[in-house]
Each structure stands twice: as structure tokens, then as C-alpha cells.
Amino acid sequence: MIPVIAGMHPDPSVCRVGDDYYLVCSSFEYFPGVPVFHSTDLVRWKQIGNALDRPSQLALSAATPSSAGIYAPTLRHHDGRFWLVVTNVSDGGGNVVLTATDPAGPWSDPVPLPGVEGIDPDLAWDSDGNCWCTVAGVAQYRVDPATGEASGPPTRLWSGTPGSKAPEAPHLYQIGDFWYLLIAEGGTERGHAVSIARSAAPTGPFEPCPDNPVLSHRGTDDPVQNTGHADLVQAPDGAWWMVFLGVRPGGGTPGWHVLGRETFLAPVTWVDGWPVVGEIVPGAESLSVERDEFDSPRLDPSWISLRDRSEQHCATGETPGWLTLRARGSGMDDPAVVFAGRRQRHLSCAARTLVDAADGSGGLVVRLDEDHHYEVEAAAGQVRVLARIGPLHAVVATLAVPDGPVVLEVRVRPRPPQDSRSGPDVLTFCVETIELASLDGKYLSTEVAGGFTGRVIGLYAATGTVRFDWFEYDPLG
Ligand code: 6LW
């Protein structure tokens, strides 16, 4: 089952204005942060920007570890403007509100919500003009989103189904005669679920749906697992839809998912005033090769870097038609690594680049997090394949090559389980057409690495200055 937004795009939040839908996701330690998507049919989405795309909005320090940073935004349209509320769990960032008239940007600088504690903030307005900010737990504050002031301590609203852990991802909606409080519970792993409660007032008391959870794939053999963290939206024709995160595990047991948590879509009908979630609607997977020639002065919004991106270290204009990366760390293990990559979005794919490493060393990396990555690295006269799995580092292959630019490639192929321990896929690293090494993809999975992120395939500079003429992402069909 194909997601509507494939690759690491978790914690989706959606809103509609006229015939246009907009959707945002978490972005963790990557910069720019909070990808923004547009669609007119909820199935085909195009990234139109990133809400946090300047250092005045997002300055993640070198101490920001993987899976920290930016969590779970909520996107709403109110009073002629788009409102985004989001948590930066690092560097004392906390919860912030941003606004925009065009969701493609520019977004305002963030207004902090210093009195609002807790992740997964939501904003909802009632007809008296009160703005309610609801956070994981589930607790609620009345806030002034323009100034960021909260009036008083939080009120506890609901803690979900008794015995179920992690009530989080709240979204509050006024639908018909009720205020509905949609939450995720059970944790973002295999036990994940979506539950709902309703009340006559936005402040409660909330009555749980008798059929909770309204969505969960726990304990099923559905190929999409971990379903949860949902948001609702109504189409112009009156139909209701739910977006939510899910994963596609592969291999033997326990099943390893490698692309992170992705965004899925399902229809919703209402029975006795409660939502009933239908079958997942498949996304429209593009199978065309995407090639970036690095000809334009700005990178496409789908390119992400680690923690920050400065002109000095990552430039498209310096050598026209080339991406120039200038190292300031010592390689993929260094938090200061200079990196630009794109989320892996297909279970089967290849990525290629033409790299000129005459003035340094660097190459092509598949990164799950800072402790789990494989890379093929070029330096003057030699190409190496390196693997980092937790505390272990290995040079897997080395080949002498003539001086001059070389094509580096990684091919990712899913593999059917041969036994209960078979990994989900195999990653083969090549220089030109020579295969250097094939490695088990299970070590670049969330089940091994932990955390909230998925694979990103990218370019990096380990030492000196490294230039890339083009980058190709090829869904192998
Ligand atoms: C997010 C929480 C969750 O804040 O994962 O699946 C956390 N749900 O709601 C990070 O993505």
C-alpha cells in the first residue's frame, strides 16, 4: 500500500482553504524544517516549501541529536491566515506559533508560547474568539496566539483509553453540535492507535467514543503498521478524510521499517455522531527518475541538511551547475558534517551522483541517524565504502580509481524474507559500474536505530571542498 506522502513525513496535519489542501509534517534535526505540501485531491501532494527556512526561525545547535528538534506541527487556517504551532524539543525551544498568508512562505518569525508545556500542540478557536491550545497528555491552555501568552495553568482534558500509554497528538474540532477531541495513543510503535472523545464545549467534559480506537492496525497482518497520529479534514463535497502516519515494515521478524513514518489517507464516515475510518486510499507513486542538475540558485525545498545550512558550506552558485559542499567536520560521524539530502521515498530505488573530490573527500550516504549510516566516499585516487552501525565503524571496501570525477551509486532492493531474521532490503554501493559492497538494510531501520526518523539519501563533504555535478533519484520501478 503506497502512502500519499512517502518517506519520512510523520505527524501529518492538514487544513483546507477552498479547493486547496495544505499539509505539514515533523522534521526533527533537519533544516529547513516543517515541510509544507499542497494538493487538490488529498492523494497527489507537491511540496511547496518549508515553514522554517531561515535561521531566525530555526537554529538547531550542533548538540541537537537525531530525532530531537522539530516535532508534530498543527496547521490551521483562521481569520484569513495560516497558523502553524509546533514544538522544538531542543535548545530550550519549546512551543511556538507562526503565521503566513501564503503557506508556501514566507512564514513569520516564531512567537514563543512560554507558558505552554508539552509536545504536539494544537490550535482551535471557538465562536467567542477564544483560542485553545491542546497538548499531549492531554491538557489544554487558553492562549493569545498573537502574543504567545497563556492564561493560567493547563486543564486536564482526557487521558485516552484506560491502560493505554502515551495519549498525544490531540486535535480539537467543532463539528455539528459537538467538540471532538481526536488523539493518538498506545505509542508510535506497533501499538499505535487513534481514539476520539466529544463534548458540548471545547473545554470538556469529554465522553469517549464507545468504539475506540477508531483506527489501529495493532496485531493485524496489514502491510501498513503503527497507524496513528491523525488529523481530520472535510472536502468541499462534505466528505470527511483522515490523514495519519503509518510504516511499511519489511523482512522477517520483528519487521524493519526503513523509510520512517509516512503519511497515509483514509475516508471517514459518521455513524451516530462518531467517525468510522475506512480502508486506506493508495497514494500515486511517481516512478520517474528525478535529476537535479544544480543549475538553479536555490535547492528544491525537498533538499534537507543537518541542523543548519549556510551559503559558505553548501552553495549552488559557487561553481555554476555544481553543488559545492565545504567540510567543517570530519565526516558522517561528526555532528558538524556538511550534508544535503532527500528522503528515500521508495522501497526500491537508486541514487547516483557525479562527484569531484579533487580538493577533499566526500560522497553519497544513506543516513538513518548519526549512528546508523552507510556511505560510498571518494577521495583523490580512491573510493571507499564505509559503514557505521551503533558504536561500530567499518571500512567495507576500498578501490583505487584514476583521478577525476566519478559516478557513485547506491541501489536499494527489497528482499523477500528467506528466514525469520532476513532484513528488509539490501543496499549495493558502486563506483561507475563496479559493485563495491552489498549491505543488509536492517541496520538502517528504525527498529535497529530507534528514534523517529527514516532514511535520507544525500551528499556530504568529509574533508575539504567536494563538488557534485548532478544527483539522480531513480525509483527502480
Ligand atoms: C510526536 C508524537 C509522535 O511528537 O511521535 O507518533 C512524536 N507520534 O505525537 C515525534 O514524531
Side-chain angles (χ1 to χ4, degrees), residues 199-219:
S199 167
T203 48
F206 283 92
E207 166 209 358
C209 171
D211 291 324
N212 279 331
V214 293
L215 170 68
S216 184
H217 288 181
R218 57 170 73 133

Side-chain angles (χ1 to χ4, degrees), residues 11 26 28 71-72 119-120 168-169 188 192 229 245 261 452:
D11 311 327
S26 299
F28 309 104
Y71 281 21
I119 58 167
D120 302 353
E168 59 190 13
T188 196
H192 214 195
H229 201 123
L245 71 78
R261 296 165 301 158
F452 297 128

